[in-house]
Amino acid sequence: MDALFLPLADAVGASVDQIKLISCLLIAYPLGSLFVRVPTSTPALRHLFSILVAMFFFFPVLKIYSAFFQLLASISATYFIAKYHKGNSMPWVVFVIVMGHLTVNHVIRAIYGTSYETMEVTGPQMVLTMKLTTFAWNVYDGRRKAEDLDKWQLSKRITEYPSLLEFLGYSFYFPGILVGPYLDYSEYMELINETAFQHAHIKAKVKPGRRLPPGRKRAAYTKMLLGLIYLGAFVLYGGKYNYSVALDPAFELQPLWKRILLFQIGGPIERAKYYAIWTLTEGASILTGLGFTGLGLKGEPQWDGAANVKVLQIEFAENFKVLLDAWNMKTNIWLRECVYKRVTPKGKKPGFRSSMITFFTSAFWHGIASGYYLTFLMGGFITAAARLARTNIRPLLLAPPSNPTASPSIMKRLYDLASIILSALILNYAASPFIILSAKDSVTTWKRLGWYGHIVIMGSLVFFYAGGTKVFRGMQKRRGILPAKPKGGASANGKANGVDTNGTNTPTSEKNFVLPPSVDRFVPPL
């Protein structure tokens, strides 16, 4: 079958494995349309459909036979451990086995120097790791008292253990088996039984003779078109505009301002390959019925629940938190629900320990390349600097409390524009090691960029810690924006008597867990 892909690979200058992966993602579109035609009255056929398509991807197309059987081993272990281990340690046993298996494969890949253009087990295994560990926690929650669970745990708990066929169908859900999206078991069963479309107000929108609300195909093929555009941008310009240009000796001969400018062009092009695969797989998932989130304000069906990335929010983010929240969104949900909340002792609030455990889980899940860790650690300082700037400066530019609906001032507009530009500059600087992978080459890249990211971030932290925070808080207090410190006492993070007084405390449901906790969380500025 490789003969079918070789001409196209040669034409676009890509590896055969990359062409095969994209082909699988595109083949999933017509297969998704076939999937929804399998009656919900025969759920076993729907499970078999996913399993057989996944096998088609792994065997004749990708030819990664051992990868399939490795995934099957993790699936089998999870299924039987979760079924027969009734103790409180069950989810952690599954977690250690599945994460340990993934880490071993990351190490093997590094030892053999396998190119990231080569399709092998770790990509699908990363997605499966999220699914299997989530399943274990959902089963565990199903054995607990309902009053001990939070809203997410209550809605996702599994009280009736699935058959082996159901579990295999879930594990090998074909649009997401290679690169995601990750979904939990309850979402999968809603997809199989189409229960999300059974509500009366949803049925009213369904055309006669149809089972699913309108707009599904339009949403799916729009995603396919966008994915192909992102892919085309990467294929056409990725060879010229990328982070690795900084390693070319000729790059160093350019003036610093030009080096920084040229480097920014490579950022969106580097990210385009991620946008492409995530958007393509989102569209295929929508065709199967996944991603329906209800009706909009005007009664139109919404199909955005399978999204893993929001491109515009990343490329034009007004602050770093918005940017992080729009990237790899499903992974953030997994880290929050299956690590961050779970390592926190009952009755206590998550703290620094919970954050660090979650960060290291995220790091090992991604892999062991040294460049990943440079990006993650840099991110901890970036989020601190960004939060301090946003907390101290932005309130002074907002409309006064007496007229909250007033149009934004010119200064506020300039602040927003500067924030977008600075966020892009810092993103491209900090994310480059994530793509370059080697710590040595990453440091060389930063050096040739004049260390501008470190200068901006560390300079900001020095400013706010050396008295800038105190000055700005004083200005806010004089304008009545920041309440004076009550006699009851206010903590360094802006809480007075347990109440958030300055809006800097992020609810758990909105936290980002890919990066380590920011420095201002455990060493707050005075």
Side-chain angles (χ1 to χ4, degrees):
M1 189 172 280
D2 284 6
L4 297 174
F5 303 105
L6 277 170
L8 184 56
D10 292 337
V12 300
S15 70
V16 174
D17 277 4
Q18 288 177 314
I19 299 299
K20 287 181 177 181
L21 172 61
I22 298 301
S23 298
C24 288
L25 300 183
L26 292 175
I27 291 169
Y29 278 77
L31 292 175
S33 293
L34 287 176
F35 177 86
V36 296
R37 284 170 169 75
V38 179
T40 55
S41 59
T42 56
L45 288 180
R46 289 192 153 202
H47 301 311
L48 282 172
F49 190 102
S50 269
I51 296 167
L52 292 174
V53 172
M55 292 178 70
F56 172 71
F57 289 162
F58 278 88
F59 292 136
V61 181
L62 297 172
K63 294 184 177 179
I64 47 176
Y65 313 107
S66 66
F68 179 85
F69 290 110
Q70 285 198 63
L71 298 184
L72 186 59
S74 286
I75 292 167
S76 301
T78 299
Y79 182 80
F80 290 108
I81 291 171
K83 184 174 184 179
Y84 294 110
H85 188 330
K86 308 293 185 180
N88 294 338
S89 63
M90 180 274 290
W92 293 116
V93 173
V94 170
F95 186 89
V96 169
I97 291 174
V98 175
M99 269 294 292
H101 187 189
L102 173 62
T103 303
V104 168
N105 281 328
H106 278 316
V107 172
I108 291 172
R109 182 172 193 154
I111 290 173
Y112 286 97
T114 305
S115 168
Y116 278 81
E117 295 181 354
T118 301
M119 193 68 192
E120 45 81 67
V121 68
T122 55
Q125 193 175 20
M126 290 170 72
V127 179
L128 188 64
T129 294
M130 293 191 288
K131 293 172 74 171
L132 297 182
T133 51
T134 301
F135 174 82
W137 281 112
N138 294 157
V139 171
Y140 172 73
D141 290 336
R143 296 167 181 167
R144 298 167 65 195
K145 295 179 181 179
E147 54 267 27
D148 292 337
L149 307 178
D150 62 25
K151 184 178 179 180
W152 187 91
Q153 293 164 354
L154 196 60
S155 65
K156 304 298 183 181
R157 69 198 301 237
I158 298 172
T159 55
E160 183 178 344
Y161 205 79
S163 68
L164 184 57
L165 178 62
E166 290 172 330
F167 189 64
L168 288 172
Y170 161 66
S171 300
F172 287 118
Y173 172 64
F174 72 94
I177 185 61
L178 299 177
V179 294
Y182 139 80
L183 73 166
D184 56 64
Y185 183 75
S186 66
E187 287 178 300
Y188 174 73
M189 291 308 294
E190 284 183 358
L191 174 74
I192 294 297
N193 299 315
E194 295 182 353
T195 52
F197 314 123
Q198 301 306 312
H199 303 289
H201 67 292
I202 303 297
K203 280 187 172 182
K205 296 289 181 179
V206 179
K207 296 179 180 179
R210 301 290 181 90
R211 301 197 315 268
L212 277 65
R216 176 179 58 89
K217 291 182 180 179
R218 181 170 59 252
Y221 286 108
T222 298
K223 293 297 181 181
M224 185 182 78
L225 178 60
L226 286 172
L228 291 175
I229 291 172
Y230 298 139
L231 182 63
F234 178 72
V235 170
L236 291 174
Y237 303 109
K240 183 177 181 181
Y241 301 107
N242 55 69
Y243 289 146
S244 296
V245 297
L247 301 174
D248 187 336
F251 183 81
E252 196 172 14
L253 300 178
Q254 303 285 345
L256 179 60
W257 68 267
K258 192 172 184 179
R259 278 179 266 160
I260 294 174
L261 182 62
L262 288 172
F263 199 73
Q264 306 314 308
I265 301 174
I269 302 301
E270 288 278 22
R271 289 187 288 278
K273 60 187 174 185
Y274 296 101
Y275 298 157
I277 59 173
W278 284 336
T279 306
L280 287 174
T281 194
E282 179 189 354
S285 300
I286 291 172
L287 278 177
T288 66
L290 184 68
F292 181 71
T293 53
L295 303 178
L297 295 176
K298 297 181 180 180
E300 72 282 8
Q302 301 287 306
W303 293 92
D304 52 7
N308 197 38
V309 65
K310 295 180 180 178
V311 176
L312 293 180
Q313 288 189 21
I314 292 171
E315 299 300 335
F316 299 98
E318 291 186 4
N319 61 73
F320 214 69
K321 184 186 183 305
V322 169
L323 187 156
L324 288 173
D325 289 347
W327 175 266
N328 209 355
M329 298 183 295
K330 298 294 185 180
T331 299
N332 196 51
I333 294 173
W334 171 65
L335 290 169
R336 180 186 70 219
E337 301 297 340
C338 298
V339 184
Y340 185 73
K341 288 183 178 179
R342 307 295 183 168
V343 298
T344 303
K346 185 178 179 180
K348 294 187 177 181
K349 292 184 178 181
F352 178 71
R353 173 180 169 274
S354 300
S355 296
M356 286 305 298
I357 292 174
T358 308
F359 159 64
F360 280 110
T361 300
S362 169
F364 281 108
W365 178 82
H366 279 89
I368 63 170
S370 53
Y372 291 154
Y373 296 85
L374 286 180
T375 291
F376 293 148
L377 293 173
M378 181 70 180
F381 291 100
I382 293 171
T383 51
R387 180 164 45 240
L388 288 170
R390 185 172 176 81
T391 302
N392 289 298
I393 300 174
R394 187 172 180 274
L396 297 171
L397 304 174
L398 297 176
S402 58
N403 188 18
T405 59
S407 299
S409 65
I410 294 178
M411 289 299 295
K412 173 61 167 59
R413 295 179 190 274
L414 290 174
Y415 171 85
D416 289 341
L417 179 61
S419 296
I420 292 172
I421 295 172
L422 188 59
S423 293
L425 285 165
I426 296 301
L427 169 63
N428 290 324
Y429 182 89
S432 57
F434 192 91
I435 303 297
I436 294 171
L437 300 178
S438 163
K440 181 181 178 182
D441 289 343
S442 299
V443 171
T444 299
T445 298
W446 282 346
K447 181 180 178 182
R448 291 180 177 178
L449 292 171
W451 301 99
Y452 79 81
H454 281 82
I455 291 172
V456 171
I457 297 304
M458 300 307 172
S460 298
L461 291 173
V462 168
F463 169 77
F464 286 115
Y465 275 81
T469 295
K470 187 175 182 180
V471 171
F472 280 108
R473 293 294 174 89
M475 294 171 65
Q476 291 182 28
K477 193 177 295 184
R478 287 192 293 273
R479 295 189 186 185
I481 301 171
L482 181 71
K485 185 176 179 180
K487 292 182 179 180
S491 65
N493 64 8
K495 278 195 173 185
N497 295 325
V499 178
D500 186 358
T501 58
N502 58 21
T504 62
N505 291 283
T506 307
T508 298
S509 61
E510 299 176 15
K511 287 180 181 289
N512 188 282
F513 299 98
V514 175
L515 299 176
S518 56
V519 64
D520 64 320
R521 284 307 191 206
F522 52 95
V523 185
L526 300 175

CSV table of all heavy atoms in Angstrom, one decimal, residues 61 74 94 129 160 227 282 311 348 365 394 401 477 498 517:
chain,number,residue,atom,x,y,z
A,61,VAL,N,-2.6,0.2,6.5
A,61,VAL,CA,-2.2,1.6,6.1
A,61,VAL,C,-0.9,2.0,6.8
A,61,VAL,O,0.1,2.2,6.1
A,61,VAL,CB,-3.3,2.6,6.5
A,61,VAL,CG1,-2.9,4.0,6.1
A,61,VAL,CG2,-4.6,2.2,5.7
A,74,SER,N,-2.4,-2.5,27.1
A,74,SER,CA,-2.8,-1.5,28.1
A,74,SER,C,-4.3,-1.4,28.3
A,74,SER,O,-4.8,-1.3,29.4
A,74,SER,CB,-2.3,-0.1,27.6
A,74,SER,OG,-1.0,0.1,27.8
A,94,VAL,N,-3.9,1.6,37.8
A,94,VAL,CA,-4.1,1.8,36.3
A,94,VAL,C,-3.2,2.9,35.8
A,94,VAL,O,-2.5,2.8,34.8
A,94,VAL,CB,-5.5,2.1,36.0
A,94,VAL,CG1,-5.7,2.5,34.5
A,94,VAL,CG2,-6.4,0.9,36.3
A,129,THR,N,-3.7,6.9,26.9
A,129,THR,CA,-3.4,7.1,28.3
A,129,THR,C,-4.4,8.0,29.0
A,129,THR,O,-4.9,7.7,30.1
A,129,THR,CB,-2.0,7.7,28.5
A,129,THR,OG1,-1.0,6.7,28.0
A,129,THR,CG2,-1.7,8.0,29.9
A,160,GLU,N,-22.5,1.1,35.9
A,160,GLU,CA,-22.7,-0.2,35.2
A,160,GLU,C,-21.5,-0.5,34.4
A,160,GLU,O,-21.2,0.2,33.4
A,160,GLU,CB,-24.0,-0.2,34.4
A,160,GLU,CG,-24.3,-1.5,33.8
A,160,GLU,CD,-25.6,-1.5,32.9
A,160,GLU,OE1,-26.3,-0.6,33.1
A,160,GLU,OE2,-25.8,-2.5,32.1
A,227,GLY,N,-8.6,22.6,8.3
A,227,GLY,CA,-7.4,21.8,8.5
A,227,GLY,C,-6.5,21.6,7.3
A,227,GLY,O,-5.3,21.7,7.4
A,282,GLU,N,-11.1,16.7,14.5
A,282,GLU,CA,-12.3,17.3,15.1
A,282,GLU,C,-13.5,17.2,14.1
A,282,GLU,O,-14.6,16.8,14.5
A,282,GLU,CB,-12.1,18.8,15.5
A,282,GLU,CG,-13.3,19.4,16.0
A,282,GLU,CD,-13.2,20.9,16.2
A,282,GLU,OE1,-12.1,21.5,16.0
A,282,GLU,OE2,-14.2,21.6,16.6
A,311,VAL,N,-7.7,28.4,17.3
A,311,VAL,CA,-6.5,29.1,16.6
A,311,VAL,C,-6.5,30.6,16.8
A,311,VAL,O,-5.4,31.1,17.2
A,311,VAL,CB,-6.6,28.7,15.1
A,311,VAL,CG1,-5.4,29.4,14.4
A,311,VAL,CG2,-6.5,27.2,14.9
A,348,LYS,N,-9.1,19.3,51.8
A,348,LYS,CA,-8.1,20.3,51.7
A,348,LYS,C,-8.2,20.9,50.3
A,348,LYS,O,-8.6,20.3,49.3
A,348,LYS,CB,-6.7,19.8,52.0
A,348,LYS,CG,-6.5,19.3,53.4
A,348,LYS,CD,-5.1,18.9,53.6
A,348,LYS,CE,-4.9,18.5,55.1
A,348,LYS,NZ,-3.5,18.1,55.3
A,365,TRP,N,4.1,12.9,30.3
A,365,TRP,CA,3.1,12.5,29.3
A,365,TRP,C,3.6,13.0,27.9
A,365,TRP,O,3.5,12.3,26.9
A,365,TRP,CB,1.8,13.1,29.6
A,365,TRP,CG,0.7,12.8,28.6
A,365,TRP,CD1,0.0,11.6,28.5
A,365,TRP,CD2,0.2,13.6,27.6
A,365,TRP,NE1,-0.9,11.7,27.5
A,365,TRP,CE2,-0.8,12.9,26.9
A,365,TRP,CE3,0.5,14.9,27.2
A,365,TRP,CZ2,-1.5,13.5,25.8
A,365,TRP,CZ3,-0.2,15.5,26.1
A,365,TRP,CH2,-1.2,14.8,25.5
A,394,ARG,N,-3.8,46.5,34.2
A,394,ARG,CA,-5.1,46.5,33.4
A,394,ARG,C,-6.3,47.2,34.2
A,394,ARG,O,-7.0,47.9,33.6
A,394,ARG,CB,-5.5,45.1,33.1
A,394,ARG,CG,-6.7,45.0,32.1
A,394,ARG,CD,-6.9,43.5,31.7
A,394,ARG,NE,-8.0,43.4,30.8
A,394,ARG,CZ,-9.3,43.2,31.2
A,394,ARG,NH1,-9.5,43.1,32.5
A,394,ARG,NH2,-10.3,43.1,30.3
A,401,PRO,N,-15.8,52.3,37.9
A,401,PRO,CA,-16.9,51.6,38.4
A,401,PRO,C,-18.2,52.4,38.3
A,401,PRO,O,-19.3,51.8,38.2
A,401,PRO,CB,-16.5,51.4,39.9
A,401,PRO,CG,-15.0,51.5,39.9
A,401,PRO,CD,-14.6,52.5,38.8
A,477,LYS,N,-5.9,51.5,44.8
A,477,LYS,CA,-6.6,51.8,46.0
A,477,LYS,C,-7.1,53.2,46.0
A,477,LYS,O,-8.3,53.5,46.5
A,477,LYS,CB,-5.7,51.5,47.2
A,477,LYS,CG,-6.4,51.5,48.6
A,477,LYS,CD,-5.4,51.2,49.7
A,477,LYS,CE,-4.8,49.8,49.5
A,477,LYS,NZ,-3.9,49.4,50.7
A,498,GLY,N,-11.1,35.1,53.3
A,498,GLY,CA,-11.5,34.0,52.4
A,498,GLY,C,-12.2,34.4,51.1
A,498,GLY,O,-12.6,33.6,50.3
A,517,PRO,N,3.4,25.5,38.4
A,517,PRO,CA,2.8,26.7,39.1
A,517,PRO,C,3.7,27.9,39.0
A,517,PRO,O,4.9,27.8,39.1
A,517,PRO,CB,2.7,26.2,40.5
A,517,PRO,CG,3.6,25.1,40.7
A,517,PRO,CD,3.7,24.4,39.3
